[in-house]
Amino acid sequence: MSNPNSTFPDCQVYKRVGVIGGGQLAWMLGLAARDLGIELIVQTPSATDSAVSVARDVIYAPIDDLAATQALSQRVDVITFENEFVDLVGLEKLADAGVCFRPSLSSLAPLLDKLEQRQFLESLGLAIPKFVGADHVATLTEVSKTFAFPVVVKARRHGYDGQGTFVIKDVGAWDSFWQDRPDFNSFLIEAFVPFRCELGLMAARSVSGEVAFHPLVETQQEDQVCRRVIAPGPVSSEITSQAQAMAQTLLEALDFVGILGIEFFLTADNQLLINEIAPRTHNSGHYTIEACHTSQFAQHLLAITGRGLGNPDLQSPAGVMINLLGFETATSDYGEKRQTLSQIPQATVHWYGKTQAYPGRKLGHVTVLLHNQEPETITKTLSQIESIWYS
Ligand code: ADP
C-alpha cells in the first residue's frame, strides 16, 4: 500500500526500529526516535548500557546473539546497527528469511574489514593512502621496499577509537610490534599521511535514492582518538564539493540506505584521501544534534524507516563539539564539572550515563553553538571547555 508520508510510492513507512547495540550512539538514536514518534527496541547485553534508559524495550543479549536478533526482528519493522561489529554470515540467514536490515547486509559487506574496505574504495577509483595487506609484506625488507617509515599498521577488524591503529616510527618499533603479534594476516599496513587536517562528512541516502550531506567538518584527533570537531571545517567550497562527490559515488555503489560517516585526510597540496568509512552514525556528527536542522540520528531514522530526508544544513553560523574523555580510572558522574560546562552560553552537555570512567573512555560530549567562524572564537571556546573538563 502506498503511503503519503513516503517520497517513494511503493515504500512502506516503518514505525518500529530495532538497534543492535546499546551504547551512546544507540542512546542518541533513541532520543531522536522519541521526537519522531518512532518506537525503538535495542539488543544490548547490560542494563547499564547507555541506550537502555531511552529504549521502548530492551532485549538483553550480546550483540552477536543471533537468536536474540531473531526475537528482535519479530517486534520491529527494520533492524539497524550501532557499530560495524556485525556477524554477516549469521545475519544472512535472517535476511534470507525476510528480516529487513538497513543498511542492507550487502552494502555493509565491503566495509567491515579495513583491508577489504580499502580494496573496495580503490576499485571505485576513490583516493586513499597507499596500503597493502600485512601478510603480503611480512618481512622488514619487504616493507622497506614498499613504504618509508613511519608506517601505520591497522587491525583489519574490531578496532575503534584508535585501539587497533599503530603508528610505527622505525625499524626498532617494527620489530617489537610484531614480536607478540605473529598473525600478519589480520593487519594491513599503510603509508603515514602527513595531513594538513582531518575532515569528516556525514552522508545519508534514502530508500528512494535521495542523498543529503551534513556540513564538512574538521576533526581533531589525539592519540588516534577524536577530541574535537569544528563545523564547518576550514576548507574551500571546491574541497567540500569533492568530498560530497566522493560520498555520492560511495553511497550509490553500495546502494546504501541510512547514514554513514566518512573520515578524510586533507594533504598540504589539497588532496583529499579517504581514511575510513563508518557505515553508521559517527562521533564526528554529534554536533548536528544542536547545530543542524536535522541531526545525524534523525536523518538515519528518516532514511531507514522509508521517509524523505531532512535538511542537514547548519542552523547556526558555526559550532564545536568536544568529547569528554575519561582522564582517570574512577566511579564518578562528574556532576560538578558538568554543571560548570552547562553554564557556558549556547552549550549543551550530553552525558552517556556510564558509571565507570577510565582514561580515554568517551563519557559524554559538549556542543557549543558559535556566532561566527573566527579562529580566535573557536580556539577560545575549545580551550575553555577543555580546561574545565581536564583541570
Ligand atoms: P579507528 O578506526 O580506530 O578510528 P583510524 O584508522 O580512523 O582508527 O585512525 C585513527 C586516527 O589515527 C586517525 O584519525 C588519524 O589521526 C590517525 N591515522 C590513521 N591512519 C593514518 C595514516 N595512514 N596516516 C596518518 N595518520 C593516521
Side-chain angles (χ1 to χ4, degrees):
M1 199 175 76
S2 77
N3 189 310
N5 293 325
S6 167
T7 48
F8 194 50
D10 298 327
C11 174
Q12 193 73 32
V13 170
Y14 293 144
K15 283 217 149 61
R16 301 175 308 161
V17 171
V19 186
I20 302 182
Q24 64 260 24
L25 297 176
W27 173 63
M28 289 180 268
L29 203 64
L31 293 172
R34 276 187 184 173
D35 293 344
L36 290 167
I38 290 170
E39 201 176 289
L40 192 112
I41 302 183
V42 298
Q43 173 181 337
T44 198
S46 162
T48 59
D49 292 341
S50 307
V52 168
S53 63
V54 291
R56 173 71 174 261
D57 206 353
V58 182
I59 293 184
Y60 288 106
I63 58 169
D64 59 355
D65 182 328
L66 292 173
T69 304
Q70 184 167 26
L72 178 67
S73 73
Q74 280 155 12
R75 299 183 53 194
V76 298
D77 307 309
V78 56
I79 293 182
T80 195
F81 306 91
E82 187 191 30
N83 56 51
E84 49 275 14
F85 310 145
V86 175
D87 171 11
L88 276 185
V89 176
L91 292 179
E92 209 71 70
K93 295 185 195 96
L94 299 182
D96 290 346
V99 175
C100 175
F101 292 101
R102 286 186 182 153
S104 68
L105 302 184
S106 58
S107 58
L108 290 176
L111 303 178
L112 304 182
D113 173 307
K114 286 192 188 208
L115 178 60
E116 289 170 8
Q117 186 183 110
R118 285 253 176 279
Q119 289 162 339
F120 177 69
L121 295 172
E122 188 176 50
S123 75
L124 295 179
L126 297 173
I128 49 174
K130 185 170 161 185
F131 73 99
V132 68
D135 55 334
H136 289 120
V137 281
T139 69
L140 180 57
T141 322
E142 285 165 339
V143 85
S144 306
K145 274 191 234 155
T146 322
F147 297 96
F149 283 103
V151 295
V152 183
V153 179
K154 293 183 176 180
R156 290 172 55 175
R157 290 217 58 181
H158 301 295
Y160 69 99
D161 290 347
Q163 302 270 345
T165 296
F166 310 89
V167 179
I168 310 283
K169 291 200 170 61
D170 52 28
V171 175
W174 172 267
D175 285 340
S176 54
F177 179 82
W178 292 109
Q179 239 158 34
D180 347 317
R181 296 180 184 87
D183 181 14
F184 283 87
N185 192 36
S186 54
F187 292 89
L188 75 112
I189 303 171
E190 64 184 37
F192 180 86
V193 180
F195 51 80
R196 187 178 100 201
C197 69
E198 291 184 82
L199 301 170
L201 181 68
M202 298 308 304
R205 186 166 175 272
S206 72
V207 175
S208 65
E210 174 194 10
V211 299
F213 308 109
H214 280 94
L216 185 63
V217 297
E218 178 178 358
T219 68
Q220 297 181 350
Q221 274 62 229
E222 280 178 25
D223 298 328
Q224 282 93 46
V225 181
C226 177
R227 285 283 287 253
R228 311 165 201 100
V229 170
I230 298 158
V235 292
S236 63
S237 54
E238 286 77 21
I239 294 292
T240 302
S241 305
Q242 265 182 48
Q244 291 181 349
M246 290 164 93
Q248 178 121 13
T249 300
L250 183 67
L251 288 169
E252 284 171 2
L254 292 168
D255 195 16
F256 198 85
V257 173
I259 202 160
L260 54 73
I262 309 182
E263 298 170 54
F264 297 94
F265 298 129
L266 182 65
T267 63
D269 57 354
N270 275 336
Q271 220 202 330
L272 264 184
L273 304 177
I274 296 181
N275 170 34
E276 190 169 36
I277 311 297
R280 53 172 169 80
T281 58
H282 192 256
N283 193 176
S284 64
H286 290 356
Y287 75 96
T288 60
I289 297 174
E290 288 80 24
C292 296
H293 292 283
T294 307
S295 76
Q296 62 163 341
F297 300 100
Q299 194 75 301
H300 185 62
L301 289 167
L302 291 170
I304 66 167
T305 56
R307 293 165 169 83
L309 299 180
N311 173 1
D313 295 341
L314 283 171
Q315 54 181 349
S316 159
V320 291
M321 188 287 309
I322 301 96
N323 272 336
L324 303 177
L325 301 177
F327 47 82
E328 60 180 356
T329 302
T331 307
S332 172
D333 68 357
Y334 299 98
E336 224 171 281
K337 279 180 191 283
R338 287 197 276 143
Q339 177 63 23
T340 313
L341 289 169
S342 64
Q343 280 158 10
I344 294 170
Q346 303 270 52
T348 308
V349 180
H350 297 257
W351 189 250
Y352 307 152
K354 297 177 185 176
T355 45
Q356 185 65 43
Y358 53 76
R361 189 173 200 203
K362 288 176 178 166
L363 302 172
H365 73 267
V366 185
T367 298
V368 188
L369 302 183
L370 302 174
H371 296 299
N372 63 62
Q373 299 174 22
E374 298 301 323
E376 304 79 62
T377 313
I378 291 169
T379 311
K380 201 175 127 216
T381 309
L382 295 174
S383 57
Q384 184 184 15
I385 304 272
E386 294 197 338
S387 64
I388 294 168
W389 178 248
Y390 295 107
S391 66

